[in-house]
Amino acid sequence: MPSGYRIEWIAPVTMLQNKYTNLVLWLALLFGGMLRFIPGVLTDFPVNDGGMLLAMIRDLQSNGFVLPSVTSYNSLDIPFAYPPLGLYVAAFVSDKLSIPELELLRWLPPLVSTAIILVFYWLAHRILNSKSRAVIATLFYALTPGASDWLIMGGGLTRSFGILFSLLAIGCVYDLFRGDESKTTIGLAILFCALAVLSHPEVGLQTAGICFLFWAYYGRNAAGIKNAALVALGTAFLTAPWWLAVLHYHGFAPFWSAIHTGIREKTLASLYHTFFSTQGGLPILPLFGLVGMFAVLRRREFLLVFWALLPFLIDPRNAPAIVIFPLLMLVSEGLYYLNKELIRAASETFPNSGNAGRYLSGLAQASLAIILVYLLYVSYASIPNLVAISLSRSDRETMEWVKENTPPQSRFLLITNTGNISPMIDSYQEWFPVLAERQSQNTLQGREWLLGSGFFEYSQALVALQGCPDAGCLNNWLEEKNVQVDFVLAQKQHVSHALIDSLRANEHYDLVYETVGAEIFAFRP
């Protein structure tokens, strides 16, 4: 058999034929966009979090779009040190188009998150140098369960902008260190790096780390050092109006406090959970991702592997949202490698079969389609879980009652779970200060800018509070922590009946409000 014969029928066989890539890309955008918008359609309120951002948006509007010194959120004088780009976008759009801020927190995050799908394809095409492999990686990003959950929530207003500009910055920096030193590329790299820093604190830090990785991999020469310095100085210059204002108001204290809230001791646990998580019970990403790692390491190409590991060293808490992109590129590499090896084995086993490659190509594409349909199904089936963690109408009615029927200076203690939920992701506790317009003594949001190294000790104390079985435990906690409260609010469906009964029977608590969802007690010390 002539040596060129085998190549003749193997060459066209790929996981995804080039003539279909544009169609598949638009299908990824369509179905990925649907998955990102449906949660907002099924609820009349932003998904999960966003309460502190709502207060900060309104602070910008009431301050004439000048960065305030502190935010009004929860009456704690929290420094307004949060990167403000997404907040300014929402405040400006709400002001100019008369769109309620809550509606923007409901719809802007899924809109930006959908745009990320296209930006990821643009980046993956550069890194993988293959249109078909980039489209496969994009398909997985569009459909993988949980890939965008944190971006479409109310708090995703800042997270989604951060990821969007981070990917754009990474792509431009990649081009820059690979030899495109045009003024346009340098300018775009500076612009997108600055926008990433101005969007989200952790994403800005991760973007800087990944850009440094690209410099270490491609730019360790005189031109690379010069361009890296230009990007760093340009980014510092464009972001200066924000960080200089914060330094003027508060010095470095808020930034120093936020730096000390990283969960360093959970690096390995976060890495393991991210790399070996299952999708609907099937280890799809771990399987193909590990094969992809083997394939690129075999070719002595280390960039994607380093990129997938570095974020866990920088900030383990935020790393999963960052490494999903190199991980999915490795998944695409793994699928491509398995497909190629399968065809090679078939060509050696059936050297005289001219149709073997065609059959295997069809089998590979059918298998890929089945996997993607399964991921689509699992993602769609998980949407009710997202809707369930949003504030219900009953929750909001309770907060409205508090706003209208309690003194403005009232201090509340919120008992909203049994200690099984991190106080940082408890949506009821986050939304209460802005919707009820009363101070919550145990809401954690915003304290990362105040407590520094004491943040996690305080967080654990709040977890212990939620685990209190009776009124006596609450009283002891209040006395031990020297916390003053006027009312205690208990979410009936999320706390134990024994605690509710104990509050009713205790002489220090008078029931003043009751619905099917909550009870409020006036506290008489």
Side-chain angles (χ1 to χ4, degrees):
M1 183 178 64
S3 60
Y5 175 78
R6 188 179 301 167
I7 298 176
E8 188 175 314
W9 60 264
I10 292 180
V13 180
T14 62
M15 287 295 293
L16 189 64
Q17 300 289 354
N18 286 331
K19 61 182 179 180
Y20 298 130
T21 52
N22 288 336
L23 172 62
V24 174
L25 178 61
W26 288 112
L27 288 175
L29 186 66
L30 173 63
F31 286 105
M34 289 172 56
L35 291 173
R36 285 153 176 77
F37 273 96
I38 288 175
V41 174
L42 296 180
T43 180
D44 59 348
F45 196 77
V47 176
N48 192 26
D49 60 353
M52 187 173 74
L53 300 187
L54 176 62
M56 298 176 88
I57 291 168
R58 292 173 174 172
D59 291 338
L60 287 175
Q61 292 172 325
S62 63
N63 204 45
F65 292 90
V66 176
L67 197 72
S69 169
V70 297
T71 174
S72 61
Y73 182 72
N74 209 15
S75 303
L76 291 176
D77 289 335
I78 298 168
F80 204 115
Y82 200 94
L85 178 65
L87 307 175
Y88 268 109
V89 171
F92 182 81
V93 172
S94 175
D95 186 66
K96 298 303 179 184
L97 301 183
S98 300
I99 301 175
E101 300 92 342
L102 278 171
E103 288 301 298
L104 291 174
L105 287 172
R106 184 179 169 198
W107 297 118
L108 264 181
L111 177 64
V112 178
S113 182
T114 301
I116 290 172
I117 296 173
L118 285 179
V119 173
F120 176 52
Y121 166 74
W122 169 83
L123 176 61
H125 194 187
R126 277 167 160 68
I127 302 295
L128 300 176
N129 196 29
S130 166
K131 188 172 183 179
S132 61
R133 274 180 274 179
V135 168
I136 290 175
T138 305
L139 269 170
F140 272 92
Y141 177 67
L143 304 180
T144 294
S148 65
D149 284 358
W150 280 100
L151 304 184
I152 66 173
M153 297 175 179
L157 174 70
T158 57
R159 293 187 287 259
S160 60
F161 274 117
I163 294 294
L164 177 75
F165 292 124
S166 177
L167 295 180
L168 289 168
I170 290 167
C172 290
V173 169
Y174 178 82
D175 287 346
L176 178 62
F177 292 138
R178 289 303 303 270
D180 181 1
E181 300 181 22
S182 65
K183 292 181 180 179
T184 299
T185 300
I186 294 174
L188 289 176
I190 293 171
L191 174 64
F192 291 133
C193 283
L195 293 176
V197 170
L198 289 171
S199 295
H200 192 271
E202 293 160 330
V203 173
L205 182 63
Q206 294 280 14
T207 302
I210 295 168
C211 289
F212 177 81
L213 172 65
F214 281 16
W215 171 83
Y217 205 79
Y218 296 115
R220 288 180 290 115
N221 50 54
I225 294 173
K226 180 196 73 172
N227 291 328
L230 285 174
V231 172
L233 291 173
T235 300
F237 177 78
L238 290 184
T239 58
W242 162 61
W243 54 263
L244 282 178
V246 177
L247 290 177
H248 172 71
Y249 289 135
H250 308 285
F252 194 69
F255 298 119
W256 185 252
S257 177
I259 289 171
H260 281 76
T261 61
I263 313 176
R264 305 294 170 189
E265 65 273 18
K266 294 188 177 181
T267 298
L268 292 179
S270 180
L271 188 153
Y272 178 84
H273 176 74
T274 301
F275 276 83
F276 296 99
S277 63
T278 59
Q279 291 70 48
L282 296 180
I284 296 173
L285 295 191
L287 174 63
F288 296 124
L290 289 174
V291 174
M293 282 189 182
F294 170 79
V296 297
L297 291 175
R298 189 182 183 193
R299 301 197 304 260
R300 303 186 64 81
E301 297 174 1
F302 306 107
L303 180 64
L304 286 176
V305 177
F306 289 153
W307 184 357
L309 296 175
L310 179 63
F312 292 99
L313 300 177
I314 297 174
D315 183 8
R317 179 175 56 182
N318 186 254
I322 305 298
V323 303
I324 187 68
F325 301 105
L327 180 58
L328 290 177
M329 286 188 248
L330 287 169
V331 166
S332 182
E333 289 279 14
L335 285 164
Y336 176 81
Y337 178 80
L338 288 174
N339 182 63
K340 183 181 68 172
E341 289 301 303
L342 181 63
I343 293 172
R344 182 188 61 79
S347 69
E348 294 176 354
T349 306
F350 307 104
N352 297 320
S353 174
N355 293 321
R358 218 168 273 110
Y359 292 146
L360 286 173
S361 177
L363 177 63
Q365 292 175 24
S367 301
L368 177 62
I370 291 171
I371 292 172
L372 292 169
V373 169
Y374 176 75
L375 292 177
L376 174 62
Y377 166 76
V378 174
S379 293
Y380 181 77
S382 67
I383 288 176
N385 296 330
L386 285 175
V387 176
I389 59 177
S390 299
L391 286 190
S392 67
R393 188 175 296 274
S394 175
D395 293 333
R396 284 172 273 153
E397 288 174 353
T398 296
M399 295 179 190
E400 185 66 24
W401 183 90
V402 170
K403 177 182 175 181
E404 295 179 353
N405 294 277
T406 62
Q409 302 304 316
S410 298
R411 298 158 297 184
F412 277 74
L413 193 72
L414 308 178
I415 309 300
T416 55
N417 61 82
T418 57
N420 58 344
I421 299 176
S422 168
M424 203 62 181
I425 58 173
D426 190 317
S427 59
Y428 198 103
Q429 292 185 28
E430 179 177 352
W431 283 102
F432 181 87
V434 67
L435 297 185
E437 297 182 8
R438 299 295 183 269
Q439 187 178 50
S440 164
Q441 295 289 64
N442 61 308
T443 290
L444 187 59
Q445 278 75 17
R447 296 181 189 265
E448 64 269 30
W449 302 100
L450 296 170
L451 297 179
S453 58
F455 178 82
F456 288 108
E457 181 182 351
Y458 184 74
S459 176
Q460 291 304 308
L462 296 184
V463 172
L465 167 66
Q466 297 297 325
C468 274
D470 53 41
C473 175
L474 291 185
N475 294 337
N476 291 337
W477 190 92
L478 291 171
E479 182 177 355
E480 179 184 340
K481 303 300 180 184
N482 193 28
V483 175
Q484 306 298 316
V485 300
D486 304 299
F487 295 91
V488 173
L489 185 154
Q491 262 193 304
K492 293 168 69 173
Q493 65 268 43
H494 297 301
V495 303
S496 68
H497 294 296
L499 175 59
I500 297 289
D501 293 339
S502 177
L503 290 172
R504 289 186 173 191
N506 192 285
E507 62 181 359
H508 295 291
Y509 298 90
D510 295 332
L511 183 65
V512 296
Y513 175 85
E514 179 182 8
T515 66
V516 294
E519 293 188 10
I520 299 177
F521 299 86
F523 180 62
R524 316 292 184 191

